[in-house]
Amino acid sequence: MDKTTLRVIDIIDGTSVDGPGLRTSIYFAGCDHHCPGCHNPSTWDFRAGRDMSVGEIVEHIVENDFNVTFSGGDPLYQYEALTILARAIKAAGKDNLVLHWFHLRATCIRSALQRITVNHRCACRRAFHPCVE
């Protein structure tokens, strides 16, 4: 199992508010955007939560058998480890991944997640739209 770690505040299984269908939502720590009306200001602190390995997170996802949403905070502050996690999730048979992030940072991860990400939703909460084919 991969020992790469990410800072995770919480993992919620069976949620229906973070993408299509029931999902496992992973809330990553840290966000400097401080958007007005943010529904998760408790995720802004980069030190909040705990370190979890890619292996631990994937094991949790496989155990609960839902598709996955990356949320937070802004998951892209951890984009290198997030890319490793996304690839591991895909290798585990999950390919319906939704990312919630600050829209202007989207381009920095698109090529890293090529052919993995199905949809993303901007922090501005616009409708889901294709991100990377």
Side-chain angles (χ1 to χ4, degrees):
M1 285 199 170
D2 197 303
K3 300 291 184 195
T4 301
T5 61
L6 296 106
R7 195 73 183 170
V8 175
I9 292 178
D10 202 0
I11 299 177
I12 306 293
D13 300 304
T15 181
S16 62
V17 298
D18 288 327
L22 294 177
R23 316 189 65 74
T24 292
S25 287
I26 306 168
Y27 295 89
F28 295 95
C31 187
D32 278 336
H33 308 302
H34 300 180
C35 299
C38 174
H39 72 283
N40 261 344
S42 63
T43 65
W44 294 353
D45 184 353
F46 288 89
R47 297 165 299 181
R50 68 182 181 104
D51 288 330
M52 290 184 75
S53 72
V54 166
E56 286 178 280
I57 296 169
V58 170
E59 185 177 305
H60 183 100
I61 289 165
V62 168
E63 230 173 67
N64 289 284
D65 201 30
F66 294 113
N67 286 312
V68 180
T69 295
F70 292 163
S71 193
D74 185 343
L76 294 188
Y77 282 104
Q78 303 181 64
Y79 76 91
E80 289 173 342
L82 191 77
T83 301
I84 293 167
L85 176 60
R87 288 184 175 137
I89 290 169
K90 181 166 177 90
K94 299 291 178 190
D95 61 2
N96 185 345
L97 178 66
V98 172
L99 301 174
H100 287 200
W101 68 60
F102 188 69
H103 186 64
L104 296 177
R105 297 196 59 193
T107 56
C108 74
I109 199 168
R110 282 187 177 157
S111 62
L113 294 181
Q114 195 167 26
R115 290 178 304 279
I116 295 173
T117 305
V118 175
N119 293 295
H120 84 276
R121 181 182 280 218
C122 308
C124 63
R125 298 292 184 226
R126 291 187 192 140
F128 287 96
H129 47 89
C131 175
V132 179
E133 296 302 323

